[in-house]
Amino acid sequence: MQAVGRYVVAHYYRELLHFLTRSVKDRDTAADLAQESFARIYAAEQAGQAIRDPRALLYRTARNLVTDHHRRSAVRAQAGEVADGGELAEADECAAPAAFEPDVALSSVQGLGAMLSTINALPPRCREAFILYKFDGLSYAEVAERMGISVRTVEMQLQIAMKACWQCLDATHGRTEQPGR
């Protein structure tokens, strides 16, 4: 270990261990996280990264590791990773949320693209009313005032826009249009 690495370990190990023990409430886990923090500082140093404030980098690294540890713990608890007998659950039982699946993510991106295309294809005044209402959060009266039109006209423009959006949503999800929309 080079000079900065030895210095960091010698001067900050106990301090960091106490910090991590308070953060994770387990001394063994804290020791593992401290070791990982020092290893990452050492690796950064070996890679030629200039370390101006080793203590700050050490604590930032440690905080990131604590955050990762808490996230993993939360996922394990939510997924019920430990069975009644203390055995680890099968990997398939600890799957990520469905939204992380590639086909679901792709579908979401494609659906968003279709919706944006639908909004962009609206007549200009209709699109303006829709954006002011839905994205800028203005009331019907505020949209009417901003555009110089009546509230009734705003209502009609928004009905047209919403019908187009519902049709896009139905088409994206492979549904036939529902009556009343």
Side-chain angles (χ1 to χ4, degrees):
M1 193 177 288
Q2 293 184 356
V4 172
R6 280 190 221 121
Y7 171 81
V8 171
V9 172
H11 285 87
Y12 299 118
Y13 182 78
R14 281 191 174 165
E15 178 184 332
L16 184 67
L17 184 61
H18 290 299
F19 165 76
L20 289 168
T21 301
R22 286 190 309 271
S23 298
V24 297
K25 310 285 190 258
D26 177 49
R27 191 159 177 89
D28 291 335
T29 302
D32 290 343
L33 293 175
Q35 182 177 355
E36 180 65 21
S37 298
F38 286 114
R40 289 187 183 192
I41 297 293
Y42 179 69
E45 183 181 45
Q46 292 299 308
Q49 181 178 350
I51 301 174
R52 289 179 181 41
D53 188 351
R55 183 175 184 265
L57 181 59
L58 180 65
Y59 272 82
R60 183 179 65 194
T61 302
R63 277 191 293 277
N64 289 344
L65 289 171
V66 167
T67 300
D68 291 344
H69 171 76
H70 287 308
R71 284 182 187 149
R72 281 192 306 274
S73 295
V75 167
R76 286 183 191 126
Q78 187 177 21
E81 184 172 297
V82 178
D84 292 337
E87 300 171 14
L88 292 179
E90 294 297 320
D92 289 342
E93 295 174 13
C94 299
F100 291 169
E101 293 294 321
D103 56 334
V104 174
L106 178 61
S107 176
S108 294
V109 169
Q110 290 171 339
L112 178 61
M115 188 62 72
L116 290 174
S117 294
T118 298
I119 293 168
N120 285 332
L122 292 170
R125 298 292 281 173
C126 183
R127 181 175 58 242
E128 181 182 1
F130 180 78
I131 290 171
L132 289 172
Y133 178 72
K134 284 292 188 183
F135 296 111
D136 293 346
L138 300 181
S139 67
Y140 283 23
E142 291 168 327
V143 172
E145 184 179 329
R146 173 119 8 127
M147 292 180 66
I149 57 178
S150 71
V151 172
R152 178 69 185 132
T153 303
V154 170
E155 290 172 357
M156 291 186 324
Q157 294 296 327
L158 290 176
Q159 284 177 351
I160 293 167
M162 289 305 296
K163 182 177 180 185
C165 289
W166 279 115
Q167 287 172 342
C168 173
L169 191 61
D170 289 340
T172 302
H173 289 92
R175 298 184 298 234
T176 58
E177 186 177 339
Q178 311 237 339
R181 278 198 209 156

